[in-house]
Amino acid sequence: MQNINNWLQTNTFHHSQFEDLKRLVEAKEKQNLTISVCIPTLNEEKTIGKEIVIFRSELMEQYPLIDELAVIDSGSTDRTLEVAASFGADVYLSAEILPRWGFKRGKGENLWKAIYQLKGDIIVYVDADIKNIHPRFVYGLVAPLIFRPEIKYVKAFYDRPLALSDQIRPSGGGRVTEILIRPLFSLFFPELTALIQPLSGEYAVRREVLESIPFPIGYGVETSHLIDVYSDWGLEALAQTDLDKRVHRHQSTRDLGKMAFGILRVFFKRLKEKGMLECLPELSYYLRQFQVKKDTYEQIVYEIFEEERPPMLQVPEYREKMGLNPL
Amino acid sequence: MATTQGTYPLERITNLARKVEQYREILLSNLVLVGEIPAPSGQEEERINFILEKFLQLGLENCATDEIGNAVAILPGSKRKHSILLTAHVDVPFEITANHTYTLEENKVWGIGVADNSLGVATLLSLPIFLKKLNITLENDLILLGAVKSLEQSNQEGLKFFLANTQKKPHCALLLEGSPLGRLNFRSMSTFGGQITCQINRRLSEASAIEMICQIIQSLKTLPLAEEEHTVLTLGSIEGGASYKYPARSCNLKFQIRSNSDQTIKNLIQKIYQILDNISQHPGLSVHLKTIATSIAGGLNSSHPLVLKARNIQEKLDITPQDNIYSPVISPFVEHNIPALCLGLTNADNLHYLDEYIEIEPCSKGLAQLIGLLLLIDKEIDLCRT
């Protein structure tokens, strides 16, 4: 609990802390770091154009923070590839990268193949469906890696509360995070509950980490990353940056169900690999959620006792009342 | 391209479009970033803050907002003898709640206000970068102004405030509008935009306010409109009533009169007041006339060197000139005796509708036109005052 609070203080950032791009580029160049941005796509013609244009202009032309801007596509049938190429992105078909390994359809496949295809010491993954795209989606995530060598994996979170009021409001991820991930993490990996939006699709990672961890192809990729990085390098290797608002497509409950199923599969696979299924740890009584007070995030811990009563047939008073033989 | 020595040759301007084309991402990026920030007239603060941030990043001088909320900065020239004003209005005719998401296609950018006037603002923000990339240093200071409160009833309040209060009176001015390419306005007509409101007191009358407005329209149609002064009456919009079942209790009409002569407009306004006085004799009817926007007649002549140079540049760049030389945006400069031109930057369509778009490819010609004109003005700035 203390570790989580410390981590929230030291490893949680806001993108505005890094908006001095000149200073950021200088620090990056001093370390001789290279940065690649990977945008995994599947039919994103509506939003891909402005994402490429903004990153190229702001983070390549004006401030040379990014060295490589690539789209890795799962086989779009719309004009995603043409639009991305026309605005100057390097465009790759996932199926053509590492052909000996075949092609699997899923975001995780593109992220994994990006490690092989792209050159950067740091790879920033940014989803293509962001309607309110802004350079902060990149610089907010790479900056902690540039300024803090011990950090290896930086995750985005969104929806900054109104800092002007004194109101306290719940803060957290989407429906799947709050209903599935946070309770699971509370039970098995309590420290990972410090991640406010563990499923966000934007993150920046050092190559040394990316090349060492497996990649689920589908919905479970973000969950598995967090468990694997945490297990191998500890909570200190993780960080998160508040990127304010993110406008994107709303997903139906049915789609979220599929996502939850994929995540559960990955999660139990990890438990099994760690021997936690056969020898379940004592299940915690604490559910860890977050609330926001002014500018700070604080953890709230609920103690939830899910006690159980026996079947009524096992209760002597009941048996007696119903004229049943004593057990 | 070193350009600070000698007169800028007109022949080089054709190359500018090609060179500018290389940096189009800078313009498009600024266009999306600024255009997605809502900015209805009078509520431009967030957009202005963004512009100021950009001005600061560009290392411009005197980056500030003035009392009315305009964003101002100066790109210093090498000699700093005079200053040229480059301005674009930052407000758009859409509410904050409208969907401001922009979409980039290979040849078009879609989004509300993209042509009027996010492209003008994006150009204002991108120009210092283009000049740097093209290795161009102006001799005179370039004042960059993002003007607030321009549209409709705001009546160019931001620009007027700046011109009335600036300590650094510009030698001449260029106004940026997103479209159409080939636009070259250098004169303003005398105009009066007004709203007539009729209200019926139900205790005294069962008449319909719509009928009253119709009578007023009939009277307005009898106004003497001198053709030789290009005097025109436009009935712009009408709204009134609450239901098809009941006589309308209120109704209003928005209209504009314009002419080459300020005196003609003054006379017509008097006549309109007489019409309204007559009709307000009707029991239970009250009639009001409110001013929406005004402008005064004046500006440069077609033979002014600034106009001729602009025409030459358009011809060199193979830009088809638009016929209309008038725009009310010139009027505030007429009041302050500052020569001013208004330029369009690209082709666009569906202005002020949800499916507004601009074409990307002609933007490089639009920018080359602007940069070429700036260079010519900078070298021969005294011609502005001819």
Side-chain angles (χ1 to χ4, degrees), chain B residues 105-313:
Chain B
E105 291 178 358
E106 287 150 284
N107 298 314
K108 288 177 184 164
V109 185
W110 299 80
I112 57 175
V114 62
D116 187 16
N117 189 29
S118 300
L119 182 58
V121 179
T123 303
L124 198 67
L125 296 175
S126 307
L127 187 78
I129 308 171
F130 286 132
L131 294 180
K132 196 173 174 186
K133 296 261 183 201
L134 296 169
N135 197 23
I136 293 172
T137 308
L138 300 176
E139 290 179 4
N140 297 286
D141 283 356
L142 187 65
I143 305 172
L144 303 171
L145 172 73
V148 297
K149 297 183 182 174
S150 292
L151 300 170
E152 295 283 315
Q153 270 128 318
S154 297
N155 198 14
Q156 303 187 76
E157 205 180 326
L159 179 59
K160 287 176 179 173
F161 181 88
F162 172 81
L163 293 175
N165 294 285
T166 181
Q167 304 295 309
K168 196 174 168 70
K169 186 179 174 183
H171 219 59
C172 67
L174 297 178
L175 292 94
L176 301 176
E177 289 281 351
S179 74
L181 185 63
R183 174 179 183 164
L184 185 64
N185 308 126
F186 47 89
R187 293 192 65 77
S188 67
M189 296 186 87
S190 181
T191 64
F192 175 85
Q195 175 174 304
I196 296 171
T197 303
C198 284
Q199 284 194 304
I200 306 285
N201 184 337
R202 276 283 162 264
R203 291 181 188 162
L204 301 173
S205 171
E206 281 302 312
S208 166
I210 292 174
E211 285 174 24
M212 297 296 120
I213 284 287
C214 287
Q215 284 185 33
I216 291 169
I217 289 172
Q218 289 305 320
S219 302
L220 290 175
K221 298 287 271 182
T222 66
L223 287 171
L225 305 175
E227 275 185 38
E228 64 278 14
E229 291 168 350
H230 299 103
T231 309
V232 178
L233 164 72
T234 302
L235 302 173
S237 87
I238 187 165
E239 59 180 346
S243 160
Y244 70 96
K245 287 189 281 190
Y246 307 111
R249 203 173 65 182
S250 67
C251 186
N252 69 57
L253 167 73
K254 290 180 183 169
F255 70 97
Q256 187 194 52
I257 42 173
R258 57 181 185 272
S259 169
N260 273 337
S261 158
D262 291 328
Q263 190 56 48
T264 300
I265 293 296
K266 274 184 195 163
N267 295 343
L268 284 170
I269 292 170
Q270 277 186 353
K271 287 192 164 66
I272 290 169
Y273 272 116
Q274 284 167 9
I275 290 169
L276 301 186
D277 284 346
N278 286 340
I279 203 155
S280 61
Q281 305 298 321
H282 191 284
L285 172 66
S286 62
V287 186
H288 299 283
L289 173 61
K290 188 174 88 176
T291 303
I292 297 175
T294 58
S295 63
I296 59 170
L300 304 177
N301 293 320
S302 299
S303 58
H304 190 280
L306 205 52
V307 177
L308 294 177
K309 282 184 186 305
R311 290 266 186 246
N312 274 344
I313 288 169

Side-chain angles (χ1 to χ4, degrees), chain A residues 45-46 49-50 53-54 56-58 61-63 79 82-83 86-87 131-135, chain B residues 22-26 28-30 32-33 36 54 57 101-106 129 133 360:
Chain A
E45 65 177 4
K46 291 278 182 208
K50 67 180 181 184
V53 156
I54 287 175
R56 265 183 64 87
S57 169
E58 301 283 321
E61 287 280 348
Q62 295 179 58
Y63 296 96
R79 296 189 57 75
E82 288 86 347
V83 173
S86 77
F87 290 114
K131 289 182 178 171
N132 60 327
I133 194 69
H134 186 277
Chain B
Q22 299 171 54
Y23 309 118
R24 67 171 186 165
E25 279 77 20
I26 294 168
L28 294 174
S29 170
N30 279 328
V32 173
L33 290 170
E36 292 193 339
K54 282 282 176 189
Q57 280 177 16
T101 304
Y102 278 26
T103 300
L104 250 74
E105 291 178 358
E106 287 150 284
I129 308 171
K133 296 261 183 201
I360 294 174

Side-chain angles (χ1 to χ4, degrees), chain A residues 56-316:
Chain A
R56 265 183 64 87
S57 169
E58 301 283 321
L59 303 176
M60 293 179 97
E61 287 280 348
Q62 295 179 58
Y63 296 96
L65 184 68
I66 298 174
D67 301 283
E68 187 177 26
L69 177 57
V71 162
I72 299 193
D73 188 78
S74 301
S76 292
T77 51
D78 65 4
R79 296 189 57 75
T80 299
L81 295 177
E82 288 86 347
V83 173
S86 77
F87 290 114
D90 301 331
V91 175
Y92 303 102
L93 281 174
S94 184
E96 291 175 1
I97 303 171
L98 289 171
R100 195 172 69 79
W101 289 76
F103 170 65
K104 297 178 191 297
R105 193 175 285 274
K107 181 184 161 189
E109 173 86 348
N110 296 13
L111 307 185
W112 181 68
K113 288 189 169 175
I115 307 167
Y116 177 81
Q117 189 64 43
L118 306 188
K119 305 175 194 79
D121 302 316
I122 292 170
I123 298 181
V124 192
Y125 296 107
V126 184
D127 278 353
D129 67 340
I130 304 171
K131 289 182 178 171
N132 60 327
I133 194 69
H134 186 277
R136 68 176 185 270
F137 284 83
V138 171
Y139 70 71
L141 295 176
V142 298
L145 297 173
I146 291 173
F147 290 127
R148 295 264 301 272
E150 75 279 15
I151 293 175
K152 298 181 187 303
Y153 192 112
V154 184
K155 191 94 183 158
F157 69 102
Y158 303 97
D159 193 15
R160 193 169 184 240
L162 294 170
L164 296 174
S165 79
D166 277 340
Q167 287 178 334
I168 295 174
R169 43 155 286 174
S171 173
R175 287 165 284 174
V176 177
T177 294
E178 293 305 320
I179 291 169
L180 179 70
I181 300 293
R182 206 175 297 289
L184 278 177
F185 279 173
S186 294
L187 284 170
F188 296 102
F189 303 100
E191 287 194 330
L192 284 180
T193 59
L195 273 299
I196 288 172
Q197 282 183 337
L199 295 182
S200 75
E202 285 69 46
Y203 32 97
V205 195
R206 293 191 196 277
R207 178 172 289 274
E208 68 200 63
V209 171
L210 288 171
E211 60 195 15
S212 314
I213 54 177
F215 275 65
I217 299 306
Y219 295 109
V221 63
E222 281 87 12
T223 312
S224 80
H225 277 185
L226 292 180
I227 296 172
D228 293 345
V229 173
Y230 171 70
S231 302
D232 290 352
W233 288 278
L235 192 62
E236 297 70 27
L238 293 164
Q240 59 186 351
T241 303
D242 184 347
L243 298 182
D244 282 351
K245 197 174 156 195
R246 184 196 198 278
V247 181
H248 59 105
R249 281 190 299 250
H250 184 74
Q251 298 204 63
S252 70
T253 306
R254 186 177 288 268
D255 287 340
L256 295 183
K258 289 184 209 164
M259 185 191 288
F261 183 80
I263 289 168
L264 275 172
R265 278 190 58 85
V266 163
F267 195 87
F268 281 109
K269 186 164 179 274
R270 291 289 179 283
L271 291 186
K272 198 171 175 186
E273 284 168 3
K274 293 177 188 302
M276 293 168 82
L277 269 189
E278 293 77 8
C279 181
L280 270 181
E282 189 180 343
L283 294 180
S284 167
Y285 292 113
Y286 300 111
L287 172 67
R288 297 168 197 276
Q289 296 181 325
F290 284 86
Q291 67 182 15
V292 184
K293 196 174 183 184
K294 288 192 177 169
D295 269 350
T296 58
Y297 291 86
E298 56 185 42
Q299 195 174 190
I300 41 171
V301 182
Y302 296 97
E303 198 171 13
I304 300 172
F305 294 98
E306 282 297 329
E307 290 181 297
E308 288 190 6
R309 293 293 192 188
M312 195 55 82
L313 279 174
Q314 294 177 14
V315 175

Side-chain angles (χ1 to χ4, degrees), chain A residues 310-323:
Chain A
M312 195 55 82
L313 279 174
Q314 294 177 14
V315 175
E317 292 88 337
Y318 179 78
R319 296 193 74 89
E320 187 183 342
K321 183 179 176 188
M322 302 304 285

